[in-house]
Every structure is written in C-alpha cells, then in structure tokens.
C-alpha cells in the first residue's frame, strides 16, 4: 500500500492539520490499530501490489510549494522531508528547458484539474548529500484538493517508471516460463488447491488451464499416492524445504498405462516474504524408468554372466560343472533348476541312439531349489538326481532337445511353479543335455530377455560340460594307452627279484589329474643280462602319454641292439628331439642335424635312467639323462643315493652321457623311481628324497611289502603327479650255473668246444639239449675261427633258459644270408636260427659276442631234431 504524505515539521500552514490527521489515521489502520470488527479498516496483508511498485506521495500547497513529503518520496527522490517541504517541485526537479511547461501544468493543477503523465526529473547534486545528481522518470498522478480554508491544493502520487518496467519485464518472463515450459507447471495455493497450471500440464490431463483451477491432488493421483504427495506439500509449505526428484506414480485420463513423474516442489513467497503457495514442476519419466529398468536388468544379466564365467568350468568333472551352473542361477535367476545330460555321452558314446529326435536316455546330474518342499523343477513326474529317464516325444522338453531351441513349459494348474524354461545345452553344434529353469508363483514370469540369458548361461555351461566330457574321454584313453605300454604284472628277469608300482596322480572333482608321461620297463638282454629303465616325459595329457609310448618303444628297440647305456641315451636324445616335429620319430635324423640351439618348444623333454645288470658278474652299468639318482641298499647298510652324473634331459642335445659301473652284492636292493614319489607342492624335493631313503630300512623283506611300505610312508610327499617305482633285489647267477672256457685259435678248438659243452650239459642234467647244443656251438666256433680274430671264449649260462656265447676279438658282425643250392657253405647261421629260440650278436669292448638261446626241456615241448633241421636247409 502506498504511503500517505506525512506533515513536515517546518510547515506553518494551519490548513495541513486535517490532512495530517487523515494521514495518521491511515497509518494507524496500517498498524492494525483500527477496531477488528470494522472490515474496511483492516490492514492489508504483507505482499500487496504496493509493496512491489513502492508508491510515493507528497502534497502541494496553494502557493505551489511542497508542504508534505512522505517517506517513500524520500526513498524515491533521495531528499529528506526537512529539505523537501517548502521547495518548488518545478524548480527542484524539472530540467530548466522544461520548467516553463512545468509551471503551466502546475497552474492548471492548482486551478483544480487532474493530471496524469510521465515527467522526467532530476535530483539536485546539493540535495543528494554530496552525491552527484541523477536523472529519472516518474509517472505522476495529480489530484486537486482544498485546504481547510478552502484554498486550492494538490496531492501527487508518484511511481518510478523504472520499477514499473522491471515489474512488466518480470511478469513477461514469468509468463513465458510458466506458459512455454515443456514441463508440467502447477501453482498450488496455501489451501493446497490448484491456482494455475500451464498448457503442458493441461495437455496431459485434459481441458484448458482454467479448467484445473480449484482442483486438489486427489483429482489427479490414486488415493495412496495422493495422500503421500499431500503430506509432502504440507511439509514444504510449513518448512520451506524444497523437494527434488520426488517420484510419483499415477494414470493419465482415459489410459490404463501406469505413468511415472519426477516432481520438484518449492515454496513461493511474496515480495515481503509471505508464503503464498507451492510451485510444482513435473516431468514424465516413464520412458526413463523403463530404460533404467532395462539398464538395471542388463547390468544384472551381465553380472550373472560374469559370475557364470568365474564360477562355471573350474572343474573338469561333469557333475560338478552342472552343479556350478545351478549355483549361479539359483536364486539369482530362478527358484528351481535341473540339469539332464545324455546318458550315452556320459558313457563315452559319441552318437547315442535317439540323440537326433530327443528321445535318448538322459541322466539327471544336478538339482537346486531356493524353496522348501520342491521335489523337482519343470514338468512331469519327479526325477531324482542320478536317475536315468527320457522325455515323451511330444513334450516341450523333447522338442527343445530335438530342435536345439528353448521352449516355454506351461504351468500346471494348482502347482508350485508358474513359469518354466526348457533350454537345450548346445556345445559345438551338439546338444549334450537339457537345463530347466523354473520360477514359483509370486515371481515375475520369464520374458524374452530371460530366455536369451538362459540360453547364454546354458551354452556356457554346455561348453564346459563338453570340455569335461572330452577330457574324461581323452583321460581314459590316455590311461588305457599308458597302462598298455607298461610291463604287464611283475616282470621276470635273470638274477633279479623284481617288484614295481605305477600310480596315476591324485585327482579330485575340483582338480582332476591329467595322465602323465611316467614309465618304467624291464628288458631282458642276451647273456642273462637285464635292462632296467625308468623315465618321465615332461608335460601331461594324451600327447605326453603318446610321447612316452614312442620313447619306450625306442628304448626297447635300442636295447635289443645291445648298445651300451650311454649310447642308448644318446640315440634316445636324438629321437626325443624329433618328437615335437611333424612326423614324430621319423624326424629324429633331421633333428640331429639341426643346430644345438634349436627351439626347445618344438621337442618333448624327458628324463630317463637306463641301467644294464649282468647276473653273471653282478655288475650294473648306469647312465642318467636328467633323472633322479638311483637308490642302493646293501645288506646291513643304510640306503644311499648312487652318484650317477645326471646329464641333460632327453631332447636337449649337445652333451654326452656318462656311464657309472657298480658292483652289486648278493641281496642288495636297487630302487628306480620318478619325481612324483618324492616331490609335491607342499614338500620340497630334498625332503622327499630323504624320506624315501629313510623308508628303505629293511631290504630283506619281501619286495611287495617294501613297495607298499614306501608308498605308505611317502603318502604325504607325493601329490598330483604320477608315480613309477621299480625295485630289484640282486640274486646273482650261481657259479655252478656258469661254464666258461678259453680256446686257442686253431681248428682243434671246434671239437674241444663240443666236448666242453657236452660235459657241462650232462652235469646240469640237460641231456636232451646235448646234440643241438653241440651242433650250434660247433657252428659258432667255426665262424669265429674263419671270420674272427684272437682267442675264442665259450660260455654257457643256465638260468630260466640255456644261453651259449662265443666271444672273439673281431669287429665284423655275422650276417645271415640265404645260400644257393650249389653253395657248399653259408648255412650255419640259418641252422642256428632254426634250432635256437633266439640268437644274435653284440659288440663288446674288445670285439664281439655271438650267442644263441635254447629253452629248457619241460617234458611238454619237443625239441627240434638237428637232422631234420639240416635236411630242411637243402
């Protein structure tokens, strides 16, 4: 409300008393001093229009001078009342160029005419308390009046035009924001009724903006939501605290689609600070919420897939992998789940009957439930874990298996499950089984997004299950291969008591063990000698087992050539260097010609210890290719590791192998082994070796018991690696079982050799072998005289067979040839081959040895008649 001009203290005009009293009355009314029962004298509430436009007033007396000056006038013109009263307003405020016109207007006003207009004014510098003068523009409304004496006067109402223009601008801006906002804008009064809405709001809820005046929140929102919003509006009105991003749910007129809005609320105040309502600014976030739900679902799905990638496939066990899938999906994705795998695939059949049409037998390998009293998931009769079953041909499950596409299974009426997905488990274009995911009543049914996620989860698990199946098949085949290459049962050797053990590495569902490349062998050599071999191919799996088989075959072949141990390992080293290249052993020769710095990634590395034991001399010659040292226990002595130079592993090449010869006393115990026996992740190698040596405390015990005692003692020292253990107790050939003669290089030595042989056989009670032995000994001694050098040595050895050896210093090896009908000779070695069980020759340090072997007569197998053998040659 505008101010009434107050009477200046310097005024001597008695006619101003009435006006002053009126001004005081109005002032009292503004202070609320008027009687409360008289409405016309009620004070205007704060925040009226006058508070915004700040109206000033002053009065002009009959003399044309200011006689009253209000406080607002002081604020507008910057001149206090004591200076303003008595001034000529025309002279004081009007520009000199306009004063003449101003004086005419003043005369007209004092003549009793009303006037309204815009007047430029200037505040004198001296009247501004030292400040520079300023110019302004005022809108003036002049009303004629009279003094108490009846003289003409005037009352002037003045408004600063700048304030009016600012109000106009604010109103225009407010109208533009309110009317052009793309958001719903609502102005709510203190009674929580709609005062005004914008066109955006009206376009959503229907009608024109005026149609919404006086409505309440309950006219737009459901009752529970309306009550919540009403409480919030009251709190904003009372406290003045703003609310941002409050989510409200409701429906638009004529639509059943649930909508979501985000609203911002803040209290609106008048110019004087009085609360006059609440501003409501709302935006539709239905699409944003849907996108947020999609994004949240996508994040959940990604998290589930990430968890699946981390948890599924940590084992190469089929059942464990299936359980890992269910651990991921229950309860994060579904409430119940099962996994069925084809029984034929589990048994190793690549194409079980019924695989194509989905009727093949399946075995339930896993089941998980997040609810109690849920015996199974899916449809049909309950199936327990481990049971073998099949689905009817026309069932959704059989259809899913047949088409390799997921199927929705209808919910059974009155059942616990309301939604089920049957998802085939496909790996490498092959269906390996079926996964069923079920949600119970009260959960959200499966949608297309859930179906896609289920297919991805099932596919990941299927690949892991198929890998586990392939691993199991390869593992079984590798075991079969490996065991087929090991000596069957306990090998038998001349002059040795043999016991052996082979144990595959420890395995579990979480850490299955692959087949290793460990092997051992016992090879009988001519002259009642025996080759003992223990080796270990570095690496695991089927390829390592195959490499082991190739090396074992190569060792046996090289051993039959009767090479020295170091020569055997050298040749084996070249062969090992060719195993990694295409063609396997066939590349050995080429590998030997490659530079020694060849890439070791192309070859298989292996360690091997090769020993040859002579039962006649009880001497054993060792050669080692990077393997652990043999352990020897002599009677009455502690076990010790033999100092055999380890050499480089097979396949490295470039270094020769050394030999060590050791004489073994009667009853001594020799142990060869692989590192799986003495080394593990939890125990260092040195500790395992000491434990092994300490376990060999009673070498006189039966060898089978010694092997069991060693394995039991070192049970905590070996881990996931294979174990090969070969133990031999020395039982040298008795002196009475050996006949040894040296013959001079003369023709009479042939007859003398026959006599020695006959006499020795008769002393051994081997009369049935006398004729054959005499004939073959004469042939070998004759050849030694004709083709050999130096003295001739004849040796007969009796053990499980009869062995005859003829030694000489010649280096030329005998060669069997086919004689023509007209040839007088050349049939000696053919005769040896016909009459003996085996024959051959080998190099010695000082020449060669030619030998043959005859089986001992057992009363069942007849001997070949020498006469018939001679006749067969012609």
């Amino acid at each position: 409300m505008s101010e009434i001009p107050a009477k200046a203290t310097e005024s001597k005009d008695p006619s101003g008393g009435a006006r002053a009293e009126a001004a005081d009355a109005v002032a009292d009314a503004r202070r609320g001093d008027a009687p409360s029962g008289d409405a016309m004298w009620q004070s205007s509430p704060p925040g009226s229009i006058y508070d915004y436009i700040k109206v000033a007033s002053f009065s002009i007396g009959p003399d044309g001078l200011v006689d009253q000056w209000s406080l607002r006038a002081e604020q507008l013109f910057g001149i206090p009342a004591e200076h303003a009263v008595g001034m000529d307003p025309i002279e004081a405020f009007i520009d000199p160029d306009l004063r003449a016109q101003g004086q005419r207007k003043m005369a007209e006003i004092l003549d009793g005419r009303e006037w309204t207009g815009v007047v430029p004014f200037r505040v004198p510098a001296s009247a501004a308390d030292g400040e520079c003068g300023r110019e302004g523009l005022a809108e003036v409304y002049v009303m004629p009046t009279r003094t108490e004496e009846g003289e003409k006067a005037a009352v002037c109402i003045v408004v600063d035009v700048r304030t009016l223009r600012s109000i106009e601008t604010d109103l225009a801006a407010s109208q533009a924001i309110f009317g052009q906002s793309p958001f719903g804008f609502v102005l709510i009064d203190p009674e929580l009724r709609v005062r005004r809405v914008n066109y955006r709001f009206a376009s959503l809820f229907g009608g024109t903006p005026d149609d919404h005046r006086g409505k309440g929140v309950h006219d737009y929102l459901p009752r529970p939501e309306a009550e919540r919003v009403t409480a919030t509006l009251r709190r904003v009105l009372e406290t003045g605290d703003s609310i941002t991003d409050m989510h409200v749910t409701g429906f638009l007129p004529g639509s059943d689609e649930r909508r979501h809005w985000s609203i911002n609320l803040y209290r609106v105040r008048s110019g004087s600070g009085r609360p006059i309502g609440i501003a409501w600014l709302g935006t539709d976030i239905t699409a944003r919420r849907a996108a947020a739900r999609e994004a949240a679902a996508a994040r959940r799905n990604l998290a589930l897939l990430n968890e699946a990638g981390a948890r599924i496939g940590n084992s190469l066990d089929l059942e464990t992998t299936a359980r890992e899938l269910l651990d991921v999906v229950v309860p994060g994705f579904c409430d119940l789940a099962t996994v069925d795998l084809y029984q034929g695939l589990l048994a190793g059949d690549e194409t079980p009957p019924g695989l194509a049409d989905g009727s093949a037998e399946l075995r339930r390998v896993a089941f998980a439930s997040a609810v109690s009293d849920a015996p199974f998931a899916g449809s049909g009769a309950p199936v327990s874990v481990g049971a073998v079953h099949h689905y009817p041909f026309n069932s959704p499950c059989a259809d899913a298996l047949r088409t390799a596409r997921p199927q929705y299974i209808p919910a059974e009426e009155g059942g616990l499950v309301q939604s089920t997905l049957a998802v085939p488990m496909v790996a490498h274009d092959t269906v390996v089984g079926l996964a069923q995911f079920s949600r119970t009543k009260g959960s959200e049914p499966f949608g297309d997004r859930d179906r896609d996620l289920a297919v991805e989860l099932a596919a990941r698990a299927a690949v892991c299950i198929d890998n586990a199946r392939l691993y199991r098949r390869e593992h079984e085949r590798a075991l079969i291969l490996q065991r087929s290459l090991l000596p069957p049962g306990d090998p038998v050797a001349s002059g040795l008591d043999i016991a052996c053990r082979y144990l595959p590495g420890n395995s579990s569902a979480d850490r299955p063990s692959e087949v290793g490349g460990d092997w051992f062998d016992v090879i009988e050599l001519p002259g009642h000698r025996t080759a003992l071999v223990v080796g270990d191919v570095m690496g695991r799996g089927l390829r390592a087992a195959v490499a082991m088989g190739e090396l074992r075959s190569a060792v046996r072949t090289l051993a039959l050539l009767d090479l020295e141990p170091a020569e055997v390992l050298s040749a084996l080293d070249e062969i090992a260097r060719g195993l990694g290249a295409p063609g396997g052993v066939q590349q050995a020769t080429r590998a030997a010609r490659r530079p020694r710095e060849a890439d070791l990634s192309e070859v298989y590395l292996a360690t091997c210890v090769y020993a040859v034991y002579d039962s006649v001399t009880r001497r054993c010659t060792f050669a080692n290719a990077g393997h652990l040292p043999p352990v020897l226990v002599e009677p009455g002595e502690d076990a010790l590791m033999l100092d055999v130079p380890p050499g480089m592993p097979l396949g490295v090449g470039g270094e020769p192998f050394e030999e060590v010869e050791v004489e073994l006393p009667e009853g001594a115990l020799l142990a060869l082994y692989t590192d799986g026996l003495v080394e593990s992740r939890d125990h260092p190698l040195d500790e395992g070796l000491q434990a092994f040596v300490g376990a060999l405390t009673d070498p006189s015990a039966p060898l089978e018991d010694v092997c069991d005692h060693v394995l039991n003692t070192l049970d905590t020292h070996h881990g996931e690696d294979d174990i090969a253990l070969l133990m031999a107790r020395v039982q040298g050939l008795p002196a009475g079982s050996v006949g040894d003669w040296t013959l001079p290089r003369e023709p009479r030595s042939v007859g003398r050799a026959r006599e020695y042989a006959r006499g020795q056989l008769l002393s051994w009670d081997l009369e049935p072998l006398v004729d054959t032995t005499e004939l073959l000994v004469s042939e070998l001694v004759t050849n030694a005289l004709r083709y050999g050098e130096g003295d001739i040595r004849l040796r007969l050895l009796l053990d499980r067979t009869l062995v005859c050896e003829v030694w000489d210093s010649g280096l030329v090896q005998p060669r069997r040839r086919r004689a023509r009908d007209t040839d007088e000779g050349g049939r000696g070695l053919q005769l040896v081959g016909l009459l003996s069980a085996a024959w051959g020759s080998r190099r010695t340090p000082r020449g060669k040895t030619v030998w043959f072997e005859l089986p001992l007569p057992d009363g069942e197998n007849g001997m070949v008649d020498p006469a018939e053998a001679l006749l067969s040659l012609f």
Side-chain angles (χ1 to χ4, degrees), residues 188-418:
I188 300 176
D189 64 19
E191 302 300 326
L192 303 186
R193 293 290 177 179
V194 174
R195 175 67 62 86
R196 187 179 179 185
V197 303
N198 67 346
Y199 285 101
R200 175 60 178 169
F201 185 89
S203 67
L204 294 175
F205 286 92
T208 65
D210 291 339
D211 294 335
H212 294 272
R213 293 183 184 274
K215 290 186 177 182
V217 177
H218 289 77
D219 296 318
Y220 302 99
L221 299 175
R223 183 180 182 85
E225 193 76 339
E227 292 178 353
R228 181 174 71 92
V229 173
T230 298
T232 304
L233 290 172
R234 295 190 186 279
R235 187 168 66 252
V236 172
L237 190 62
E238 293 172 358
T239 64
D241 296 334
S242 300
I243 300 294
T244 58
D245 198 24
M246 176 181 178
H247 289 191
V248 177
T249 303
F251 300 89
L252 292 177
S255 174
D256 294 332
E257 180 184 4
R258 184 179 296 273
R259 310 294 295 183
H260 301 273
W261 295 279
S262 171
I263 63 173
N264 299 308
L265 304 174
Y266 58 92
R267 190 171 67 181
V268 179
R269 296 175 298 177
S270 67
S272 62
R274 177 176 63 90
I276 59 173
I278 302 170
W280 169 313
L281 182 64
T283 182
D284 193 322
I285 60 170
T286 304
R288 191 176 76 188
R289 280 177 61 93
R293 286 196 301 270
E294 292 286 337
R299 286 193 297 269
R300 287 194 300 269
N301 292 351
L302 288 176
L304 200 63
L305 289 175
N306 183 60
E307 183 182 5
R311 298 181 60 181
I312 299 176
N314 293 323
S315 168
L316 287 175
D317 179 75
L318 295 172
E319 291 79 4
T320 301
T321 303
R323 288 194 298 270
E324 289 171 345
L325 168 63
L326 301 193
D327 291 340
V328 171
V329 300
V330 178
F333 177 70
C334 61
D335 301 314
L336 305 169
T338 63
V339 173
D340 299 321
L341 300 179
Y342 277 122
Q343 176 68 8
L345 294 178
L346 294 176
D349 189 356
E350 293 295 324
T351 56
L355 181 64
D357 60 9
S359 63
E361 289 186 333
L362 299 107
R363 178 158 59 91
R364 180 147 296 176
V365 296
F367 165 72
S369 172
V371 296
S372 58
D373 302 328
F376 70 100
S379 60
V383 178
S384 59
V385 174
V388 177
H389 67 103
H390 67 87
Y391 292 105
F393 182 80
N394 59 349
S395 66
C397 292
D399 190 42
L401 291 169
R402 186 166 49 250
T403 63
R405 295 179 179 177
Q407 299 291 330
Y408 290 100
I409 299 179
E412 297 181 359
E413 186 175 354
L416 175 66
V417 176
Q418 78 155 358

